[in-house]
Amino acid sequence: MYDGYRNRVYKNPYALIASITNPLYSTGSSIQVQGGARAEGICLIKAEQLHGYRIDKITGNEVGVIETKEKGGKVGDVLVNIETYQQIEAIIKRDGKFKINYKAYTEEIRNVCKKHGVACESSHGFRWSYAQRRVREYQKAGYSYEEALQGVSWEMKHFRSSITEHYLG
């Protein structure tokens, strides 16, 4: 039965991000692929949303924590690598906030995809790439497939594990 979903993952999201010329947009894409945030969660980040560092209980790595509010008003933490977190901190220190124009951001992604000869899945393709990687990280940490689906679902601000299955293509 067709449920309307199709695989929107970027096979090599970091190559696309490396080709983005605007540093704000490459940082925004990094947040999405590292933490699974929706575009609406990364278009405006203020200092009070930065929650410092902690150890990711799944990977054991130190990460930066950004609180985002996304679809349906759902609030939660997005975990990013230290370098990305420090970039956001520096931008907020310099500009007072991290802010990107969604239309220009998605246009940049479209141009980069065209340059690389890949189908453009807009910024949501980075979220798909996140979901696939994160499920594998959960399983590597000893979680069952079902536990991995549910954990990633919560991280992506969903409730049902079945939603995560859509992201696995």
PDB file of all heavy atoms in Angstrom, residues 6 8 10 16 29 32 39 102 105-107 109-110 113 119-127:
ATOM      1  N   ARG A   6       8.066   8.997   0.052  1.00  0.00           N
ATOM      2  CA  ARG A   6       9.118   8.468  -0.816  1.00  0.00           C
ATOM      3  C   ARG A   6      10.444   8.820  -0.170  1.00  0.00           C
ATOM      4  O   ARG A   6      10.523   9.763   0.630  1.00  0.00           O
ATOM      5  CB  ARG A   6       9.024   9.027  -2.221  1.00  0.00           C
ATOM      6  CG  ARG A   6       9.212  10.531  -2.283  1.00  0.00           C
ATOM      7  CD  ARG A   6       9.117  11.066  -3.704  1.00  0.00           C
ATOM      8  NE  ARG A   6       9.183  12.503  -3.719  1.00  0.00           N
ATOM      9  CZ  ARG A   6      10.285  13.230  -3.543  1.00  0.00           C
ATOM     10  NH1 ARG A   6      11.424  12.639  -3.351  1.00  0.00           N
ATOM     11  NH2 ARG A   6      10.251  14.536  -3.566  1.00  0.00           N
ATOM     12  N   ARG A   8      13.591  10.508   0.597  1.00  0.00           N
ATOM     13  CA  ARG A   8      14.101  11.844   0.291  1.00  0.00           C
ATOM     14  C   ARG A   8      15.509  12.058   0.837  1.00  0.00           C
ATOM     15  O   ARG A   8      15.975  13.185   0.946  1.00  0.00           O
ATOM     16  CB  ARG A   8      13.148  12.893   0.864  1.00  0.00           C
ATOM     17  CG  ARG A   8      11.771  12.841   0.210  1.00  0.00           C
ATOM     18  CD  ARG A   8      10.782  13.778   0.862  1.00  0.00           C
ATOM     19  NE  ARG A   8      11.212  15.168   0.754  1.00  0.00           N
ATOM     20  CZ  ARG A   8      10.574  16.169   1.338  1.00  0.00           C
ATOM     21  NH1 ARG A   8       9.510  15.953   2.066  1.00  0.00           N
ATOM     22  NH2 ARG A   8      11.019  17.403   1.207  1.00  0.00           N
ATOM     23  N   TYR A  10      19.496  12.387   1.261  1.00  0.00           N
ATOM     24  CA  TYR A  10      20.669  12.741   0.461  1.00  0.00           C
ATOM     25  C   TYR A  10      21.729  11.683   0.733  1.00  0.00           C
ATOM     26  O   TYR A  10      22.085  11.441   1.887  1.00  0.00           O
ATOM     27  CB  TYR A  10      21.206  14.123   0.845  1.00  0.00           C
ATOM     28  CG  TYR A  10      20.350  15.267   0.369  1.00  0.00           C
ATOM     29  CD1 TYR A  10      19.865  16.217   1.253  1.00  0.00           C
ATOM     30  CD2 TYR A  10      20.043  15.417  -0.984  1.00  0.00           C
ATOM     31  CE1 TYR A  10      19.095  17.293   0.823  1.00  0.00           C
ATOM     32  CE2 TYR A  10      19.268  16.485  -1.428  1.00  0.00           C
ATOM     33  CZ  TYR A  10      18.795  17.415  -0.528  1.00  0.00           C
ATOM     34  OH  TYR A  10      18.035  18.464  -0.972  1.00  0.00           O
ATOM     35  N   LEU A  16      27.164  18.058  -0.194  1.00  0.00           N
ATOM     36  CA  LEU A  16      26.281  19.175  -0.541  1.00  0.00           C
ATOM     37  C   LEU A  16      26.538  20.363   0.386  1.00  0.00           C
ATOM     38  O   LEU A  16      26.676  21.494  -0.080  1.00  0.00           O
ATOM     39  CB  LEU A  16      24.817  18.744  -0.447  1.00  0.00           C
ATOM     40  CG  LEU A  16      24.359  17.637  -1.397  1.00  0.00           C
ATOM     41  CD1 LEU A  16      22.912  17.266  -1.119  1.00  0.00           C
ATOM     42  CD2 LEU A  16      24.541  18.046  -2.842  1.00  0.00           C
ATOM     43  N   SER A  29      22.278  23.893   7.452  1.00  0.00           N
ATOM     44  CA  SER A  29      22.210  22.532   6.916  1.00  0.00           C
ATOM     45  C   SER A  29      22.896  21.549   7.854  1.00  0.00           C
ATOM     46  O   SER A  29      22.415  20.424   8.047  1.00  0.00           O
ATOM     47  CB  SER A  29      22.879  22.464   5.536  1.00  0.00           C
ATOM     48  OG  SER A  29      22.187  23.256   4.613  1.00  0.00           O
ATOM     49  N   GLN A  32      20.613  20.660  10.625  1.00  0.00           N
ATOM     50  CA  GLN A  32      19.571  19.734  10.191  1.00  0.00           C
ATOM     51  C   GLN A  32      20.092  18.303  10.039  1.00  0.00           C
ATOM     52  O   GLN A  32      19.449  17.368  10.490  1.00  0.00           O
ATOM     53  CB  GLN A  32      18.944  20.215   8.880  1.00  0.00           C
ATOM     54  CG  GLN A  32      18.080  21.439   9.071  1.00  0.00           C
ATOM     55  CD  GLN A  32      17.206  21.695   7.873  1.00  0.00           C
ATOM     56  OE1 GLN A  32      17.607  22.389   6.944  1.00  0.00           O
ATOM     57  NE2 GLN A  32      16.008  21.122   7.896  1.00  0.00           N
ATOM     58  N   ALA A  39      13.451  22.860   9.084  1.00  0.00           N
ATOM     59  CA  ALA A  39      13.933  24.191   8.703  1.00  0.00           C
ATOM     60  C   ALA A  39      13.369  25.265   9.624  1.00  0.00           C
ATOM     61  O   ALA A  39      14.088  26.190  10.010  1.00  0.00           O
ATOM     62  CB  ALA A  39      13.585  24.493   7.253  1.00  0.00           C
ATOM     63  N   TYR A 102      14.470  31.646   4.823  1.00  0.00           N
ATOM     64  CA  TYR A 102      14.107  30.303   4.363  1.00  0.00           C
ATOM     65  C   TYR A 102      14.101  30.194   2.842  1.00  0.00           C
ATOM     66  O   TYR A 102      14.647  29.241   2.287  1.00  0.00           O
ATOM     67  CB  TYR A 102      12.732  29.901   4.917  1.00  0.00           C
ATOM     68  CG  TYR A 102      12.274  28.562   4.394  1.00  0.00           C
ATOM     69  CD1 TYR A 102      12.832  27.389   4.880  1.00  0.00           C
ATOM     70  CD2 TYR A 102      11.296  28.478   3.410  1.00  0.00           C
ATOM     71  CE1 TYR A 102      12.436  26.154   4.393  1.00  0.00           C
ATOM     72  CE2 TYR A 102      10.893  27.247   2.915  1.00  0.00           C
ATOM     73  CZ  TYR A 102      11.455  26.089   3.413  1.00  0.00           C
ATOM     74  OH  TYR A 102      11.068  24.869   2.917  1.00  0.00           O
ATOM     75  N   TYR A 105      17.598  30.265   1.538  1.00  0.00           N
ATOM     76  CA  TYR A 105      18.249  29.035   1.998  1.00  0.00           C
ATOM     77  C   TYR A 105      17.888  27.864   1.087  1.00  0.00           C
ATOM     78  O   TYR A 105      18.757  27.141   0.611  1.00  0.00           O
ATOM     79  CB  TYR A 105      17.826  28.773   3.440  1.00  0.00           C
ATOM     80  CG  TYR A 105      18.254  27.466   4.056  1.00  0.00           C
ATOM     81  CD1 TYR A 105      19.586  27.056   4.076  1.00  0.00           C
ATOM     82  CD2 TYR A 105      17.319  26.632   4.674  1.00  0.00           C
ATOM     83  CE1 TYR A 105      19.969  25.861   4.678  1.00  0.00           C
ATOM     84  CE2 TYR A 105      17.698  25.446   5.282  1.00  0.00           C
ATOM     85  CZ  TYR A 105      19.019  25.063   5.274  1.00  0.00           C
ATOM     86  OH  TYR A 105      19.396  23.883   5.870  1.00  0.00           O
ATOM     87  N   THR A 106      16.608  27.683   0.825  1.00  0.00           N
ATOM     88  CA  THR A 106      16.198  26.553  -0.015  1.00  0.00           C
ATOM     89  C   THR A 106      16.642  26.744  -1.466  1.00  0.00           C
ATOM     90  O   THR A 106      16.935  25.764  -2.150  1.00  0.00           O
ATOM     91  CB  THR A 106      14.676  26.310   0.062  1.00  0.00           C
ATOM     92  OG1 THR A 106      13.980  27.500  -0.304  1.00  0.00           O
ATOM     93  CG2 THR A 106      14.273  25.873   1.459  1.00  0.00           C
ATOM     94  N   GLU A 107      16.723  27.975  -1.914  1.00  0.00           N
ATOM     95  CA  GLU A 107      17.231  28.239  -3.263  1.00  0.00           C
ATOM     96  C   GLU A 107      18.707  27.845  -3.364  1.00  0.00           C
ATOM     97  O   GLU A 107      19.138  27.260  -4.360  1.00  0.00           O
ATOM     98  CB  GLU A 107      17.037  29.715  -3.635  1.00  0.00           C
ATOM     99  CG  GLU A 107      17.469  30.059  -5.039  1.00  0.00           C
ATOM    100  CD  GLU A 107      16.662  29.363  -6.123  1.00  0.00           C
ATOM    101  OE1 GLU A 107      15.480  29.052  -5.909  1.00  0.00           O
ATOM    102  OE2 GLU A 107      17.224  29.108  -7.216  1.00  0.00           O
ATOM    103  N   ILE A 109      20.192  25.537  -1.584  1.00  0.00           N
ATOM    104  CA  ILE A 109      20.216  24.069  -1.593  1.00  0.00           C
ATOM    105  C   ILE A 109      19.871  23.548  -2.988  1.00  0.00           C
ATOM    106  O   ILE A 109      20.521  22.640  -3.504  1.00  0.00           O
ATOM    107  CB  ILE A 109      19.257  23.498  -0.526  1.00  0.00           C
ATOM    108  CG1 ILE A 109      19.765  23.842   0.871  1.00  0.00           C
ATOM    109  CG2 ILE A 109      19.097  21.980  -0.685  1.00  0.00           C
ATOM    110  CD1 ILE A 109      18.766  23.588   1.984  1.00  0.00           C
ATOM    111  N   ARG A 110      18.866  24.134  -3.610  1.00  0.00           N
ATOM    112  CA  ARG A 110      18.465  23.735  -4.971  1.00  0.00           C
ATOM    113  C   ARG A 110      19.628  23.905  -5.951  1.00  0.00           C
ATOM    114  O   ARG A 110      19.919  23.020  -6.758  1.00  0.00           O
ATOM    115  CB  ARG A 110      17.242  24.557  -5.403  1.00  0.00           C
ATOM    116  CG  ARG A 110      16.568  24.086  -6.652  1.00  0.00           C
ATOM    117  CD  ARG A 110      15.261  24.813  -6.998  1.00  0.00           C
ATOM    118  NE  ARG A 110      14.831  25.926  -6.170  1.00  0.00           N
ATOM    119  CZ  ARG A 110      14.049  25.834  -5.078  1.00  0.00           C
ATOM    120  NH1 ARG A 110      13.617  24.679  -4.667  1.00  0.00           N
ATOM    121  NH2 ARG A 110      13.720  26.916  -4.400  1.00  0.00           N
ATOM    122  N   CYS A 113      22.342  21.242  -5.274  1.00  0.00           N
ATOM    123  CA  CYS A 113      21.908  19.924  -5.767  1.00  0.00           C
ATOM    124  C   CYS A 113      22.058  19.844  -7.285  1.00  0.00           C
ATOM    125  O   CYS A 113      22.528  18.826  -7.823  1.00  0.00           O
ATOM    126  CB  CYS A 113      20.468  19.641  -5.364  1.00  0.00           C
ATOM    127  SG  CYS A 113      20.274  19.289  -3.607  1.00  0.00           S
ATOM    128  N   ALA A 119      18.943  14.854  -7.172  1.00  0.00           N
ATOM    129  CA  ALA A 119      17.580  15.345  -6.994  1.00  0.00           C
ATOM    130  C   ALA A 119      17.525  16.215  -5.741  1.00  0.00           C
ATOM    131  O   ALA A 119      18.063  15.849  -4.699  1.00  0.00           O
ATOM    132  CB  ALA A 119      16.608  14.178  -6.864  1.00  0.00           C
ATOM    133  N   CYS A 120      16.883  17.353  -5.860  1.00  0.00           N
ATOM    134  CA  CYS A 120      16.772  18.261  -4.725  1.00  0.00           C
ATOM    135  C   CYS A 120      15.600  17.838  -3.846  1.00  0.00           C
ATOM    136  O   CYS A 120      14.467  17.743  -4.316  1.00  0.00           O
ATOM    137  CB  CYS A 120      16.588  19.701  -5.191  1.00  0.00           C
ATOM    138  SG  CYS A 120      16.514  20.859  -3.804  1.00  0.00           S
ATOM    139  N   GLU A 121      15.897  17.598  -2.605  1.00  0.00           N
ATOM    140  CA  GLU A 121      14.877  17.260  -1.611  1.00  0.00           C
ATOM    141  C   GLU A 121      14.743  18.394  -0.605  1.00  0.00           C
ATOM    142  O   GLU A 121      14.264  18.185   0.503  1.00  0.00           O
ATOM    143  CB  GLU A 121      15.232  15.941  -0.915  1.00  0.00           C
ATOM    144  CG  GLU A 121      15.379  14.760  -1.853  1.00  0.00           C
ATOM    145  CD  GLU A 121      14.111  14.424  -2.636  1.00  0.00           C
ATOM    146  OE1 GLU A 121      13.013  14.919  -2.281  1.00  0.00           O
ATOM    147  OE2 GLU A 121      14.206  13.664  -3.610  1.00  0.00           O
ATOM    148  N   SER A 122      15.200  19.556  -1.003  1.00  0.00           N
ATOM    149  CA  SER A 122      15.196  20.754  -0.184  1.00  0.00           C
ATOM    150  C   SER A 122      15.890  20.496   1.157  1.00  0.00           C
ATOM    151  O   SER A 122      16.704  19.581   1.276  1.00  0.00           O
ATOM    152  CB  SER A 122      13.774  21.290   0.001  1.00  0.00           C
ATOM    153  OG  SER A 122      13.814  22.626   0.466  1.00  0.00           O
ATOM    154  N   SER A 123      15.580  21.294   2.156  1.00  0.00           N
ATOM    155  CA  SER A 123      16.258  21.128   3.435  1.00  0.00           C
ATOM    156  C   SER A 123      15.777  19.877   4.162  1.00  0.00           C
ATOM    157  O   SER A 123      16.485  19.343   5.007  1.00  0.00           O
ATOM    158  CB  SER A 123      16.042  22.364   4.309  1.00  0.00           C
ATOM    159  OG  SER A 123      14.689  22.465   4.704  1.00  0.00           O
ATOM    160  N   HIS A 124      14.604  19.384   3.803  1.00  0.00           N
ATOM    161  CA  HIS A 124      14.062  18.203   4.486  1.00  0.00           C
ATOM    162  C   HIS A 124      14.888  16.950   4.183  1.00  0.00           C
ATOM    163  O   HIS A 124      14.909  16.018   4.977  1.00  0.00           O
ATOM    164  CB  HIS A 124      12.598  17.993   4.114  1.00  0.00           C
ATOM    165  CG  HIS A 124      11.786  17.414   5.217  1.00  0.00           C
ATOM    166  ND1 HIS A 124      11.558  18.074   6.411  1.00  0.00           N
ATOM    167  CD2 HIS A 124      11.146  16.230   5.324  1.00  0.00           C
ATOM    168  CE1 HIS A 124      10.808  17.320   7.188  1.00  0.00           C
ATOM    169  NE2 HIS A 124      10.549  16.191   6.566  1.00  0.00           N
ATOM    170  N   GLY A 125      15.601  16.929   3.068  1.00  0.00           N
ATOM    171  CA  GLY A 125      16.481  15.804   2.756  1.00  0.00           C
ATOM    172  C   GLY A 125      17.568  15.626   3.811  1.00  0.00           C
ATOM    173  O   GLY A 125      18.001  14.495   4.078  1.00  0.00           O
ATOM    174  N   PHE A 126      17.999  16.721   4.433  1.00  0.00           N
ATOM    175  CA  PHE A 126      18.997  16.626   5.505  1.00  0.00           C
ATOM    176  C   PHE A 126      18.389  15.940   6.730  1.00  0.00           C
ATOM    177  O   PHE A 126      19.052  15.169   7.418  1.00  0.00           O
ATOM    178  CB  PHE A 126      19.538  18.003   5.875  1.00  0.00           C
ATOM    179  CG  PHE A 126      20.298  18.664   4.760  1.00  0.00           C
ATOM    180  CD1 PHE A 126      19.896  19.881   4.248  1.00  0.00           C
ATOM    181  CD2 PHE A 126      21.423  18.054   4.205  1.00  0.00           C
ATOM    182  CE1 PHE A 126      20.591  20.492   3.214  1.00  0.00           C
ATOM    183  CE2 PHE A 126      22.130  18.654   3.171  1.00  0.00           C
ATOM    184  CZ  PHE A 126      21.709  19.867   2.666  1.00  0.00           C
ATOM    185  N   ARG A 127      17.134  16.196   6.977  1.00  0.00           N
ATOM    186  CA  ARG A 127      16.420  15.551   8.086  1.00  0.00           C
ATOM    187  C   ARG A 127      16.293  14.047   7.831  1.00  0.00           C
ATOM    188  O   ARG A 127      16.458  13.243   8.744  1.00  0.00           O
ATOM    189  CB  ARG A 127      15.054  16.220   8.219  1.00  0.00           C
ATOM    190  CG  ARG A 127      14.249  15.831   9.415  1.00  0.00           C
ATOM    191  CD  ARG A 127      13.079  16.827   9.527  1.00  0.00           C
ATOM    192  NE  ARG A 127      11.935  16.274  10.202  1.00  0.00           N
ATOM    193  CZ  ARG A 127      11.764  16.259  11.516  1.00  0.00           C
ATOM    194  NH1 ARG A 127      12.689  16.752  12.307  1.00  0.00           N
ATOM    195  NH2 ARG A 127      10.671  15.763  12.044  1.00  0.00           N
TER     196      ARG A 127
END
